[in-house]
Amino acid sequence: MKKGFIFIYLLIFFCFETVDSPNVEANKINENPNYGTVSIEKISLNRNFYKDGNVDKEIVMLDSEFPNIENSLLVLASHSGTSPFSFFNYLYKLELGDIVNITYNDELYNYKIIDVYQVKKDGSAEIYKIKNKRTLVLITCTNNKKDKQTVYVAVEI
């Protein structure tokens, strides 16, 4: 399997507890049409993600492409931890072969996790895209490690 390496410079992505009260509108469609939905049945996750979002309040799409583009790379980030906005808190339960579903523009894209690895949490992460495949990357703080982020790589099935 050929791997093409891509460097993504992440927004400052800190793992911390937010003291704000949860925004009850966070999972509703806002005026921004740049959104999709990420669903992972294994961990009961079903949330919208936003292209122009705020990682402290929602799942955000980092500098990447929506899945309707052939051979796209979609990178999503969210917090894990005890904050009410820690939407990726249970990603650590995922294993190779688990399924992640993305809905965008009423189309469903199914992805299978093929790799999980940790990187130093320093504002950047080395990620890779599988050549000639739609690739999904999920990034979050590593469970119980303040200086690491975990990267989940999935390809369309």
Side-chain angles (χ1 to χ4, degrees):
M1 184 172 3
K2 293 184 179 179
K3 299 177 184 176
F5 283 94
I6 297 175
F7 288 93
I8 298 281
Y9 290 95
L10 304 175
L11 303 171
I12 298 175
F13 191 67
F14 296 102
C15 296
F16 61 89
E17 294 184 25
T18 304
V19 293
D20 295 342
S21 60
N23 178 354
V24 294
E25 298 295 316
N27 199 31
K28 293 186 179 179
I29 297 170
N30 64 14
E31 278 65 54
N32 179 355
N34 294 318
Y35 70 92
T37 303
V38 57
S39 301
I40 307 173
E41 186 175 335
K42 181 175 183 173
I43 59 172
S44 300
L45 176 68
N46 187 28
R47 298 286 303 185
N48 288 339
F49 64 88
Y50 299 91
K51 182 173 177 130
D52 299 316
N54 178 345
V55 75
D56 290 331
K57 297 196 184 257
E58 54 211 3
I59 299 171
V60 297
M61 179 178 158
L62 299 181
D63 189 21
S64 58
E65 305 161 314
F66 282 107
N68 61 324
I69 297 172
E70 193 67 28
N71 302 321
S72 61
L73 172 64
L74 173 59
V75 181
L76 301 178
S78 184
H79 286 295
S80 60
T82 59
S83 160
F85 302 108
S86 297
F87 302 120
F88 281 179
N89 191 45
Y90 297 107
L91 287 188
Y92 73 91
K93 293 182 177 185
L94 298 180
E95 301 170 322
L96 299 182
D98 284 343
I99 304 300
V100 179
N101 299 304
I102 299 291
T103 304
Y104 178 68
N105 278 347
D106 295 324
E107 292 289 326
L108 179 64
Y109 301 88
N110 302 300
Y111 295 84
K112 178 173 68 172
I113 294 177
I114 62 165
D115 197 10
V116 178
Y117 58 94
Q118 293 180 1
V119 296
K120 184 177 179 181
K121 187 172 73 174
D122 63 3
S124 67
E126 183 176 291
I127 62 170
Y128 62 88
K129 177 191 181 328
I130 305 303
K131 188 174 182 176
N132 299 321
K133 293 254 187 190
R134 284 186 174 102
T135 304
L136 170 66
V137 175
L138 306 174
I139 301 174
T140 194
C141 305
T142 300
N143 193 30
N144 298 320
K145 293 186 180 176
K146 293 184 184 243
D147 63 337
K148 299 279 185 189
Q149 293 182 133
T150 304
V151 178
Y152 301 81
V153 180
V155 293
E156 186 179 33
I157 52 175

